[in-house]
Amino acid sequence: MRLEGKKVIQLVSKDFEDLELWYPVLRLQEEGATVHLVGEKAGEEHPGKYGVPATADYAFEDINPADYDGILVPGGWSPDKLRRYDKVIEMVQHMDNERKPIGQICHAGWVLISANILKGRKVTSTPGIKDDMMNAGAEWFDEAVVQDEHIVSARRPPDLPPYAKALADLLAD
């Protein structure tokens, strides 16, 4: 279990893309990582876009990002909600400042844009937010997975296997 002892934040709010939240969580747990779902309120259930629910283990205010080894931002419409929380932005900025793994897929790039951490970074995302990513100063690639130092990005659900592998490999280093 190469990720035993590693702790990861999985951000959650309603309308996340079901696979983009659950696939990385399960993959990292298989490798031994502890993954906490963190949302606006502890114990609150959030429906995914396709009906798979996710219940927050902790509230944004309940956790200290310094206690974690990485953070995951799901896709779907959830990122547009998540980026409105100052605590979410602070968590992502903390992970960036500490060079800890940040995983983002699909529309999750919106959160990184709001955290103002993409200038000069190489990324991918759903093509629907390509212009947003580039306007934030990122260099955008139409590839399944792009890793730039500690930031791992992916486009959409078919890219989940290489995305989750890249995240696990990064956390294992």
Side-chain angles (χ1 to χ4, degrees), residues 14-160:
K14 74 178 197 167
D15 296 328
F16 60 87
E17 204 294 338
D18 305 49
L19 286 173
E20 293 171 356
L21 183 138
W22 285 112
Y23 189 105
V25 167
L26 296 172
R27 177 69 176 84
L28 297 179
Q29 288 174 336
E30 286 174 344
E31 294 253 14
T34 298
V35 182
H36 291 142
L37 275 63
V38 181
E40 184 180 11
K41 297 176 187 166
E44 183 176 18
E45 186 175 283
H46 301 275
K49 282 175 54 178
Y50 304 107
V52 179
T55 301
D57 299 309
Y58 296 99
F60 302 137
E61 300 296 327
D62 295 340
I63 59 136
N64 179 354
D67 296 336
Y68 288 84
D69 301 294
I71 190 166
L72 304 175
V73 185
W77 303 124
S78 176
D80 191 37
K81 296 165 184 63
L82 289 167
R83 67 183 178 163
R84 300 173 195 195
Y85 295 99
D86 291 339
K87 186 67 174 170
V88 168
I89 299 304
E90 290 168 14
M91 283 187 270
V92 171
Q93 289 172 336
H94 171 84
M95 293 298 179
D96 185 55
N97 290 334
E98 296 297 316
R99 300 297 189 244
K100 292 182 178 180
I102 298 171
Q104 68 98 27
I105 185 167
C106 196
H107 287 83
W110 278 336
V111 174
L112 280 64
I113 289 168
S114 292
N116 198 27
I117 66 167
L118 290 182
K119 187 173 178 116
R121 298 280 172 77
K122 294 175 177 66
V123 296
T124 193
S125 66
T126 180
I129 67 166
K130 171 186 174 182
D131 292 346
D132 300 335
M133 301 289 272
M134 292 172 57
N135 288 335
E139 185 178 357
W140 190 88
F141 295 88
D142 187 12
E143 296 176 9
V145 175
V146 173
Q147 182 174 339
D148 187 340
E149 297 179 9
H150 60 285
I151 298 175
V152 179
S153 57
R155 296 175 300 192
R156 55 183 75 96
D159 303 328
L160 282 163

